[in-house]
Amino acid sequence: MLDVCLLGTGGMMPLPYRKLTALMTRFNGSNLLIDCGEGTQVAIREKGWSFHDIDVICFTHFHADHISGLPGTLLTMGNAERTRPLLMIGPKGLERVVNALRVIAPELPFPIEFHELSHREETIRVNGYRIHAFRVQHNVTCYGYSLEIERQGRFDVDRAREAEIPQKYWSRLQKGEVIEDGDRTLTADMVLGPPRRGIKVTYCTDTRPTQRIEDCARGSDLFVCEGMYAEKDKEAKARQYKHMTFAEAARLAAAAGVSELWLTHFSPSLSHGENYMRDVKKIFPRASLGTDGRSVELDFIDE
Amino acid sequence: MLDVCLLGTGGMMPLPYRKLTALMTRFNGSNLLIDCGEGTQVAIREKGWSFHDIDVICFTHFHADHISGLPGTLLTMGNAERTRPLLMIGPKGLERVVNALRVIAPELPFPIEFHELSHREETIRVNGYRIHAFRVQHNVTCYGYSLEIERQGRFDVDRAREAEIPQKYWSRLQKGEVIEDGDRTLTADMVLGPPRRGIKVTYCTDTRPTQRIEDCARGSDLFVCEGMYAEKDKEAKARQYKHMTFAEAARLAAAAGVSELWLTHFSPSLSHGENYMRDVKKIFPRASLGTDGRSVELDFIDE
């Protein structure tokens, strides 16, 4: 099961009634955070999720509303007695930016490991997460992220028998163990059917809609996508500042065939986003407004 | 009139129900901020006070809970179309720390001027404020601030006549104008009585109680002072981490003869501070708990 929480839904600046956009997930005791704006730590605390178990922080880009809360969050993680290394993933310059911000958080009880994205797309596997980072189109280098929890195939008795694998090894192989049996090396793929559908969440902000977002989001159970502007007459503004309108996000969701779309990263000038949702749902019926702290538990689906 | 708002009352980390400690004042269209933690800009917005008119930001010290909100606040000030210079006052290293944090706020539409405090006490006059910075006793270099609005003496008809100053100049001199009249230079002090009592606010965190705080706070209309811990058995902890208990702050307020004490900078572990106030008021009856967004209008008092 993957728990997903949209910690905030604002863009540009935190507001009294709207926290900055960030996403947190929990899987198998390992938490992952995407972006960390001013106040993100308060949103995590409101939700009651663990600081201690944040193992990975991914950054879309280095605009302040996506990273300004980092020094405080690191100190709070330290205060939660975290000692395990923290992995940070983000665009080139990550280490420089983080170290500059750490002028006010120089001492932490855990080490930080940096993974700077140097290609247009990269896949990183950590703690059961398959993290796929892909370049999006903003006015600075910016990445979207697909988080996948992969699911192995069913145990296939016929295959196991055909391969003449002793029954005593079946359970261990199914759990992924590699077993040396005489001169043979036995592996999970010898007893399993094809991989089954896993869980997939795609997170995308700040960006114009692009074909690669559509490709990377394809088949997501949840697509969290920016919709900076709602009004139809803001499309020119969205193009100018490299953001999206609700309608553009909905068209992307429809094209990518995702199960659900949550809109987020609203302009401070946007209020009453619900007034625009009737038109948005005409484009993609499973679209809805993100709200601060909105969460969902995503399970494996048997097909 | 001086408007004073205690924007938050927390120490160490922002909490859902308690913002980080910071103070804002408004005088004659010029706003002043002391400290700027993560979420301070949200507190300012909740209060509805102007970002555009923040002319001075004073920092007590560079622990994250006192400065982590700066980059976001600077961007929000820029977004409010501020173009006038901003004066920052703080301990040595101010420019280096601020410039490091500005890695995520590199472009602002207004210049920043730095005043690094290099003495144990310094007085800076700006926009009608007399700012007196004084060293306090924390585990890093830390300053308290007294803000004073000075009040000139009453117009003294007898003095003006004795000095043979033509009546046509009286009003202009009273307003502070310097007038050349033939071979004489006429100034305000020739027509005014002794300065009258002004308005004084003293702000002190993070620190142990000291004699200099008592001296500098003397006669304040409002003394905003840290009380990190409430419980009597936390005195050793307060000494260890260079903070104060409620009782220590109250003794300081009593000794300094201030009109009113607001406690602030509460430990995240402190809840129900009101339970401790009966004992605190025995030490200093005009003590009360600060609350997020609490404000007061201080007027000149005719004696």
Side-chain angles (χ1 to χ4, degrees):
Chain A
M1 191 180 70
L2 179 72
D3 288 324
V4 183
C5 179
L6 181 59
L7 295 164
T9 54
M12 202 162 167
M13 60 182 71
L15 298 175
Y17 51 88
R18 193 188 283 159
K19 292 196 165 62
L20 287 170
T21 296
L23 192 88
M24 190 160 176
T25 64
R26 300 195 297 190
F27 175 70
N28 206 16
S30 179
N31 296 358
L32 181 150
L33 183 63
I34 306 182
D35 285 344
C36 188
E38 182 176 356
T40 291
Q41 69 162 308
V42 179
I44 295 170
R45 197 172 289 276
E46 275 179 5
K47 195 71 192 173
W49 289 13
S50 163
F51 287 97
H52 178 274
D53 299 330
I54 298 175
D55 293 321
V56 185
I57 306 181
C58 304
F59 291 99
T60 56
H61 64 305
F62 304 135
H63 279 158
D65 52 334
H66 295 261
I67 193 170
S68 50
L70 184 66
T73 299
L74 292 175
L75 290 167
T76 294
M77 288 170 64
N79 202 257
E81 293 178 1
R82 183 185 177 83
T83 54
R84 294 199 308 270
L86 167 69
L87 174 65
M88 288 196 195
I89 300 170
K92 265 187 207 167
L94 177 66
E95 188 165 357
R96 179 183 59 81
V97 172
V98 170
N99 285 342
L101 292 176
R102 283 190 58 197
V103 66
I104 54 168
E107 285 166 37
L108 297 171
F110 54 88
I112 298 176
E113 292 161 5
F114 294 96
H115 181 112
E116 298 201 354
L117 300 163
S118 51
H119 301 92
R120 294 191 71 82
E121 301 203 12
E122 288 187 40
T123 300
I124 299 140
R125 281 186 165 81
V126 54
N127 295 0
Y129 290 96
R130 178 183 184 273
I131 303 168
H132 185 70
F134 52 95
R135 276 285 286 279
V136 296
Q137 193 184 105
H138 196 41
N139 53 18
V140 296
T141 302
C142 186
Y143 283 83
Y145 291 93
S146 283
L147 308 177
E148 283 184 76
I149 306 299
E150 294 172 301
R151 190 182 190 191
Q152 62 184 19
R154 280 182 207 285
F155 183 77
D156 186 333
V157 178
D158 294 339
R159 289 198 65 202
R161 289 211 169 109
E162 265 166 41
E164 295 182 340
I165 293 173
Q167 198 165 343
K168 63 178 176 184
Y169 295 141
W170 288 6
S171 163
R172 287 165 61 192
L173 287 171
Q174 196 177 358
K175 284 174 188 146
E177 219 175 299
V178 176
I179 296 170
E180 300 297 333
D181 181 45
D183 55 356
R184 284 177 86 197
T185 300
L186 309 180
T187 51
D189 63 288
M190 301 165 89
V191 299
L192 299 179
R196 287 171 288 179
R197 178 196 162 101
I199 301 170
K200 182 172 178 182
V201 174
T202 299
Y203 180 89
C204 235
T205 174
D206 305 7
T207 180
R208 291 291 301 148
T210 69
Q211 181 60 47
R212 271 323 276 165
I213 300 177
E214 182 189 317
D215 298 341
C216 291
R218 192 165 310 288
S220 294
D221 298 281
L222 175 61
F223 180 35
V224 178
C225 184
E226 79 139 276
M228 185 93 177
Y229 306 107
E231 307 89 328
K232 191 147 178 50
D233 63 8
K234 290 272 175 74
E235 273 188 21
K237 202 166 179 183
R239 272 195 298 276
Q240 183 186 351
Y241 294 108
K242 307 284 187 202
H243 284 291
M244 285 188 226
T245 62
F246 283 15
E248 287 174 323
R251 281 194 286 271
L252 208 44
V258 302
S259 301
E260 199 167 342
L261 165 68
W262 291 1
L263 293 165
T264 189
H265 202 274
F266 308 129
S267 162
S269 68
L270 177 72
S271 56
H272 298 294
E274 64 277 10
N275 293 348
Y276 304 91
M277 291 308 290
R278 217 167 77 164
D279 287 343
V280 171
K281 281 172 188 284
K282 283 182 196 160
I283 302 169
F284 184 71
R286 297 278 296 160
S288 59
L289 290 175
T291 52
D292 290 13
R294 181 179 180 181
S295 59
V296 64
E297 299 177 9
L298 297 173
D299 279 307
F300 289 126
I301 297 169
D302 282 316
E303 288 175 322
Chain B
M1 193 180 70
L2 180 71
D3 288 324
V4 183
C5 179
L6 181 59
L7 295 165
T9 54
M12 203 162 166
M13 60 183 70
L15 298 175
Y17 51 89
R18 193 189 282 160
K19 293 196 163 64
L20 287 170
T21 296
L23 192 89
M24 191 159 175
T25 63
R26 302 195 295 191
F27 175 70
N28 206 16
S30 179
N31 296 358
L32 180 149
L33 183 63
I34 305 183
D35 285 344
C36 187
E38 182 176 355
T40 292
Q41 67 163 308
V42 179
I44 295 170
R45 197 172 290 277
E46 274 178 6
K47 195 72 192 172
W49 289 12
S50 164
F51 287 97
H52 179 273
D53 298 330
I54 298 175
D55 293 321
V56 184
I57 306 181
C58 303
F59 292 99
T60 55
H61 63 305
F62 305 135
H63 280 159
D65 53 335
H66 295 260
I67 192 170
S68 50
L70 183 66
T73 299
L74 292 175
L75 290 167
T76 294
M77 288 169 64
N79 202 257
E81 293 178 0
R82 183 185 176 83
T83 53
R84 294 199 307 268
L86 168 68
L87 173 65
M88 288 196 194
I89 300 170
K92 267 188 207 167
L94 176 67
E95 186 164 356
R96 179 183 59 81
V97 172
V98 170
N99 284 342
L101 292 176
R102 283 191 57 198
V103 65
I104 54 168
E107 284 167 38
L108 297 171
F110 53 88
I112 297 176
E113 292 161 5
F114 294 97
H115 181 113
E116 298 201 354
L117 300 164
S118 50
H119 301 92
R120 294 191 70 83
E121 302 203 12
E122 289 187 41
T123 300
I124 298 139
R125 282 187 164 80
V126 52
N127 295 0
Y129 290 95
R130 178 183 185 273
I131 304 167
H132 185 69
F134 52 95
R135 277 284 287 278
V136 295
Q137 193 184 107
H138 196 41
N139 53 17
V140 296
T141 302
C142 186
Y143 283 83
Y145 291 93
S146 283
L147 308 177
E148 283 183 78
I149 307 299
E150 294 172 301
R151 190 181 190 192
Q152 63 186 18
R154 279 181 208 285
F155 183 76
D156 186 334
V157 179
D158 294 338
R159 288 197 65 201
R161 289 212 168 109
E162 265 165 41
E164 295 182 340
I165 292 173
Q167 198 165 343
K168 63 178 176 185
Y169 295 142
W170 289 5
S171 162
R172 287 166 61 193
L173 287 171
Q174 196 178 358
K175 284 175 189 148
E177 218 175 299
V178 175
I179 296 169
E180 301 297 332
D181 181 45
D183 55 356
R184 288 176 84 197
T185 299
L186 309 180
T187 53
D189 63 288
M190 301 164 89
V191 299
L192 299 179
R196 285 172 290 179
R197 179 195 160 100
I199 301 169
K200 181 173 178 181
V201 174
T202 298
Y203 180 90
C204 234
T205 174
D206 304 8
T207 180
R208 293 289 301 146
T210 69
Q211 181 60 48
R212 271 323 276 163
I213 299 176
E214 182 189 318
D215 297 342
C216 290
R218 192 165 310 286
S220 294
D221 298 281
L222 175 62
F223 180 35
V224 177
C225 185
E226 80 138 281
M228 186 94 176
Y229 307 106
E231 307 89 328
K232 197 158 170 42
D233 63 7
K234 291 272 176 73
E235 272 187 21
K237 201 166 180 183
R239 271 194 300 275
Q240 183 186 350
Y241 293 109
K242 307 286 186 200
H243 284 290
M244 286 189 226
T245 63
F246 283 15
E248 287 174 323
R251 282 194 285 272
L252 208 45
V258 303
S259 301
E260 198 167 344
L261 165 68
W262 291 1
L263 292 164
T264 189
H265 203 273
F266 307 131
S267 162
S269 68
L270 177 72
S271 56
H272 299 293
E274 64 276 10
N275 293 348
Y276 304 90
M277 291 308 291
R278 218 167 75 163
D279 287 343
V280 171
K281 282 171 187 283
K282 283 181 195 160
I283 303 170
F284 185 71
R286 297 279 294 160
S288 60
L289 291 175
T291 52
D292 290 13
R294 181 179 181 182
S295 59
V296 63
E297 298 178 8
L298 297 174
D299 278 306
F300 290 125
I301 297 170
D302 281 316
E303 289 176 321

